Amino acid sequence: MNFKRYILTFLGLLLSEVLLAQIPSTFGTGNSSTNNFPQGKTTDKPKSPTGRAGVDDSTKVIYGPTSTQYFFEEDVFNNRKKLIPIDTSLGEGHNFNFVQRNRNLYQDLGNIGTAIRPIFFKQPEQIGTMLGYDAYSLYAFKPNQVRYFNTRSPFTNLVYVTGGNEQDLLQFEFSRNVDSLWNFSINLQRIVTNKQLVTSSTSTNKNAIGHWDFMLHTNYQTKNKKYQLLAYANLSDHNSNDEGGVLPQGRSYDLILQQGNNAAIVNNASTRDKFYNLHLYHEYVGYKAFQVYQVVDYQTRKVQFRDPDYVANWTSGFYPIAYDTLGKGYRYTTDTSVTKKMKLDSLYNESQYSIFEHKSGIKGFYKGFNYRLHLRQRFFSFSNPLYNYSINRNENFLGVWLNQYFKDSTRAFAEVEYLLTGSDFKLNVEFQGKWLTLGGKAMSTSPTLVQQITFNDGFRWDKNTNAFVTYRGISNNMQTYHAYASASPKFGKLTLRPSVDINLVNSYIYYDTLAFVKQATSDIAIFKAGLGYDFHKGRFSTVGQLYLTTTTGPDLIRIPKIFANTRLAFDLLYKKKLFIHTGVELHYKSNYYADAYMPAIQQFHLQDKQMINGYVQADIFADMRINRVRLFLKFANVAQGLLGNGYYAAPGFLGMGRTFGFGLQWLLFD
């Protein structure tokens, strides 16, 4: 890849924009609300002659949530920047794991930090050739989640959760303004869990998940607000000791739920997914109607999997196919002559990936009309050292985004992006009214690099050849069409949220029951009807969501026909100091053949062996706040033993049993 030319071009643009901009700006706080949170008095130091106000964090000044505010890159990008005060409401701290914080719309392997996927079909997030390893991407920081701060004093947000059964989560956030124009922040996330399927026969390593995220980010704006820069550097390192699910040992899956001391199928396999990412957004505002912007990303990533017990796990049937040194494919067999031909070392899979991407363009707004035009270029390399295969490629995209805000606060927008050297495209239109939303999205997306080429001792395919493989990789695009509508009518204290979603998928790319990549030859249609509700009266509140789903065409996208969440809660105040939000949350999914997980290629795939039976999961919680500290207590899966012996989060993986969890969040403003 010829990175130098593009990096030099980018640095030249950055320097030119800085020179065009005037240095410095005033230090504003924006609008805020107290949210019944103790507030302090703030006193600003006089501004320096340059206009850059210093930050006074002396002991005479007391700060609070209204003196610390943040904004998101997306709002700056859309010319809708707003400063948001720190949320001090009780919130949903008890929903600490990533499934529940996403309203149970994801399926993991029963433990925080394990491989995770959406329950419902989702269109790809963007067009172009993506890597395709996404089983752990939900745990890493993302550009649209980064909070860029404007603080009057040092701000610290500390979260610690011990979720029961040795699940631990630590999140640390620190932010401070260098002066009134420049902020610097640090984010840290640590996830640690132990294996749930542990017996005396298992290896001495009982760690299941070890995950690190470390981010440094900054934002800067000139005095006249013409130039603004947002940037971060992020390290994400995810380590998983994969178990493969519970070892049946001749028992039914229902019987396994009734018995303890369950062993894992795989004992010594491990996955590591590590990447470094640099992200930058900057813009120069010549006029409101004409602005120049650029988004830049650079990432280097390595994904690895190793199983030193490969032969034993192949013999037991966990891996469906094994290859000898000559590349001949064998399905599972007890023939010892076949076993002798195999490589008697570990199964090892590795992919190395690096990408440089920039999106450069112009944008602007006039009254209620916004527009954007951009050129997006991606330069990436991909290699598989076992296959001695590598590619270097670039992709070029053109895009247009149009948005209109009307006087009654309704909004309509449309966007189009097209790959110049291929057949990828994205078309998105939406109307947002006061209580009605209508929209549609059409996409044609290239197969991922993993779907095109994979090579190890258990899984092999290449879109260019079938000389050494049983199955050939995918080279054809997948087309998806999504139409949706939702409303939010209010009836006194009750708000209803009915919705309808229709997805049509053509040339669907999936992994079959052997975890080999395939492409459907017939269309698949998905129909989903939903009803959400929100009711508050006095100290009582209840919220919930119901989805009914059906599909037509090949049975390749498995979704539960019934999906339901509900919460019943009460608000209490003890001695005018302790605020308590307590209640019960219920979740239910009907029976379905959920996708299984194959760690060797980090993909979920079809399976017909185990029906995931419907189960009512009930959690009792209490979120509390006293002064600037928030706490929660959670008794998870209290219905175990009453409504059943437990449940499976995924095929072969038992859901977390009855556990007691505790969490703490501490906000410091000085």
Side-chain angles (χ1 to χ4, degrees):
M1 275 186 295
N2 187 9
F3 288 139
K4 292 183 179 179
R5 177 160 54 97
Y6 293 95
I7 292 175
L8 290 174
T9 302
F10 155 68
L11 292 175
L13 178 60
L14 172 61
L15 179 62
S16 65
E17 291 183 359
V18 172
L19 293 175
L20 283 171
Q22 300 177 22
I23 301 176
S25 175
T26 58
F27 183 43
T29 60
N31 298 325
S32 62
S33 59
T34 62
N35 292 323
N36 298 320
F37 199 88
Q39 301 294 318
K41 297 180 181 180
T42 59
T43 304
D44 291 335
K45 292 180 68 176
K47 295 177 183 177
S48 68
T50 65
R52 302 177 75 145
V55 178
D56 184 4
D57 52 0
S58 68
T59 56
K60 296 181 181 180
V61 182
I62 301 175
Y63 298 95
T66 59
S67 65
T68 298
Q69 300 172 324
Y70 63 91
F71 59 92
F72 292 103
E73 179 181 312
E74 184 178 7
D75 293 327
V76 177
F77 192 36
N78 293 331
N79 294 311
R80 304 288 291 182
K81 179 180 176 180
K82 56 183 178 181
L83 292 174
I84 305 169
I86 300 300
D87 182 10
T88 59
S89 61
L90 286 176
E92 300 183 7
H94 63 280
N95 286 330
F96 64 91
N97 72 51
F98 288 78
V99 170
Q100 292 183 332
R101 71 170 63 176
N102 286 282
R103 298 174 295 155
N104 296 299
L105 294 172
Y106 282 80
Q107 163 202 339
D108 65 6
L109 306 184
N111 206 347
I112 185 173
T114 52
I116 193 168
R117 67 179 291 272
I119 294 290
F120 296 99
F121 175 79
K122 292 181 65 175
Q123 288 181 296
E125 293 185 359
Q126 60 176 296
I127 60 176
T129 306
M130 309 303 294
L131 178 59
Y133 289 115
D134 297 316
Y136 302 110
S137 61
L138 192 67
Y139 304 116
F141 294 135
K142 296 177 178 58
N144 62 352
Q145 297 173 336
V146 179
R147 303 197 298 179
Y148 293 96
F149 283 93
N150 185 358
T151 70
R152 291 177 177 267
S153 65
F155 167 67
T156 303
N157 178 20
L158 177 64
V159 177
Y160 174 71
V161 174
T162 176
N165 281 7
E166 300 177 285
Q167 302 177 91
D168 293 299
L169 171 67
L170 173 67
Q171 294 175 324
F172 174 80
E173 186 174 37
F174 175 80
S175 181
R176 167 157 194 166
N177 269 48
V178 178
D179 55 35
S180 60
L181 305 173
W182 182 21
N183 176 273
F184 178 81
S185 302
I186 300 173
N187 286 72
L188 174 70
Q189 178 175 254
R190 175 67 167 160
I191 302 172
V192 178
T193 62
N194 276 5
K195 294 179 179 179
Q196 301 300 312
L197 302 173
V198 177
T199 67
S200 58
S201 63
T202 1
S203 66
T204 56
N205 184 5
K206 300 192 186 315
N207 296 326
I209 300 295
H211 176 89
W212 278 104
D213 270 308
F214 181 73
M215 175 186 288
L216 301 175
H217 65 86
T218 186
N219 69 88
Y220 169 79
Q221 187 176 44
T222 57
K223 179 180 178 181
N224 61 5
K225 300 184 179 181
K226 286 186 175 295
Y227 178 76
Q228 186 164 192
L229 180 146
L230 316 174
Y232 71 74
N234 180 32
L235 163 65
S236 181
D237 190 356
H238 191 99
N239 293 270
S240 171
N241 290 319
D242 303 290
E243 298 184 274
V246 65
L247 185 65
Q249 296 176 319
R251 301 170 296 167
S252 69
Y253 287 107
D254 289 338
L255 185 60
I256 291 172
L257 286 174
Q258 302 174 28
Q259 301 175 348
N261 200 35
N262 291 307
I265 297 175
V266 178
N267 292 320
N268 297 310
S270 61
T271 297
R272 188 174 191 185
D273 192 344
K274 183 177 182 179
F275 71 81
Y276 301 91
N277 189 48
L278 299 175
H279 175 86
L280 181 144
Y281 171 84
H282 61 145
E283 66 177 25
Y284 177 75
V285 181
Y287 302 94
K288 289 183 177 180
F290 185 82
Q291 307 166 24
V292 180
Y293 73 91
Q294 187 176 59
V295 186
V296 178
D297 282 281
Y298 175 74
Q299 182 183 113
T300 176
R301 185 175 178 185
K302 180 185 286 189
V303 181
Q304 299 167 289
F305 173 83
R306 183 186 297 277
D307 184 359
D309 300 331
Y310 170 53
V311 174
N313 292 324
W314 169 76
T315 304
S316 70
F318 180 72
Y319 299 111
I321 296 179
Y323 294 89
D324 65 8
T325 55
L326 300 177
K328 184 177 179 181
Y330 293 101
R331 295 182 184 275
Y332 164 64
T333 176
T334 57
D335 186 350
T336 56
S337 63
V338 174
T339 304
K340 290 179 181 179
K341 294 179 182 178
M342 291 178 54
K343 294 181 180 179
L344 298 180
D345 57 5
S346 64
L347 185 151
Y348 182 71
N349 188 63
E350 179 179 328
S351 294
Q352 299 177 9
Y353 179 73
S354 64
I355 180 172
F356 174 80
E357 176 176 306
H358 78 90
K359 180 163 70 173
S360 306
I362 60 174
K363 66 186 181 83
F365 69 95
Y366 179 72
K367 296 185 177 179
F369 178 72
N370 285 26
Y371 75 92
R372 288 200 303 265
L373 305 173
H374 74 256
L375 166 67
R376 181 162 68 98
Q377 292 182 296
R378 303 175 72 241
F379 304 87
F380 65 87
S381 66
F382 171 77
S383 64
N384 181 320
L386 298 179
Y387 192 16
N388 194 25
Y389 175 87
S390 64
I391 60 172
N392 293 278
R393 189 183 302 169
N394 70 287
E395 296 177 331
N396 301 292
F397 308 82
L398 287 178
V400 180
W401 183 87
L402 304 174
N403 181 85
Q404 177 67 55
Y405 285 96
F406 300 97
K407 292 183 179 179
D408 59 353
S409 299
T410 59
R411 171 186 180 229
F413 81 89
E415 64 173 331
V416 179
E417 189 175 45
Y418 181 71
L419 174 62
L420 296 179
T421 55
S423 57
D424 288 34
F425 71 86
K426 176 175 68 174
L427 171 64
N428 189 14
V429 295
E430 184 174 276
F431 170 81
Q432 296 178 354
K434 289 184 177 180
W435 59 271
L436 177 66
T437 298
L438 300 170
K441 189 174 184 180
M443 297 183 71
S444 176
T445 52
S446 297
T448 66
L449 291 168
V450 178
Q451 292 167 347
Q452 295 181 37
I453 299 169
T454 290
F455 184 94
N456 57 55
D457 279 351
F459 300 90
R460 297 181 183 181
W461 53 80
D462 186 335
K463 70 170 185 174
N464 300 310
T465 180
N466 58 1
F468 64 91
V469 297
T470 306
Y471 300 107
R472 191 165 181 168
I474 305 301
S475 58
N476 297 326
N477 276 24
M478 178 177 70
Q479 293 81 38
T480 58
Y481 306 91
H482 180 206
Y484 56 92
S486 63
S488 55
K490 294 184 178 181
F491 306 93
K493 299 183 181 296
L494 173 66
T495 301
L496 297 178
R497 296 184 177 87
S499 63
V500 176
D501 288 81
I502 302 174
N503 280 280
L504 179 64
V505 187
N506 178 262
S507 300
Y508 177 58
I509 302 174
Y510 65 99
Y511 295 86
D512 65 12
T513 54
L514 298 177
F516 275 70
V517 70
K518 290 288 189 64
Q519 189 160 35
T521 57
S522 301
D523 293 348
I524 302 173
I526 307 168
F527 304 91
K528 183 175 70 172
L531 178 63
Y533 63 89
D534 187 336
F535 177 78
H536 294 261
K537 186 173 183 180
R539 297 182 180 273
F540 172 76
S541 64
T542 178
V543 296
Q545 180 67 59
L546 171 68
Y547 288 118
L548 303 177
T549 307
T550 186
T551 63
T552 63
D555 185 24
L556 302 176
I557 302 178
R558 276 82 181 274
I559 301 172
K561 294 185 180 298
I562 303 173
F563 175 101
N565 291 325
T566 191
R567 177 195 299 165
L568 304 171
F570 291 89
D571 294 320
L572 306 172
L573 178 62
Y574 180 71
K575 291 190 175 181
K576 299 182 181 180
K577 292 288 186 180
L578 180 63
F579 294 87
I580 304 174
H581 181 68
T582 184
V584 59
E585 287 186 330
L586 305 173
H587 170 63
Y588 173 79
K589 291 189 293 287
S590 59
N591 302 351
Y592 76 117
Y593 283 98
D595 285 358
Y597 180 65
M598 173 49 67
I601 54 173
Q602 204 182 109
Q603 305 295 329
F604 285 86
H605 65 93
L606 296 177
Q607 63 87 28
D608 299 318
K609 296 179 180 179
Q610 183 185 358
M611 174 75 76
I612 302 300
N613 293 320
Y615 178 79
V616 177
Q617 184 178 346
D619 301 332
I620 296 175
F621 67 91
D623 294 310
M624 296 169 282
R625 175 169 58 80
I626 181 168
N627 293 328
R628 295 182 175 181
V629 177
R630 286 188 280 189
L631 310 167
F632 80 79
L633 303 174
K634 182 174 182 177
F635 195 13
N637 200 11
V638 295
Q640 185 174 5
L642 300 175
L643 301 178
N645 295 307
Y647 67 100
Y648 284 90
F653 289 90
L654 284 69
M656 188 63 63
R658 187 186 294 113
T659 57
F660 179 78
F662 166 80
L664 164 73
Q665 182 183 24
W666 198 349
L667 300 173
L668 301 173
F669 297 93
D670 46 31

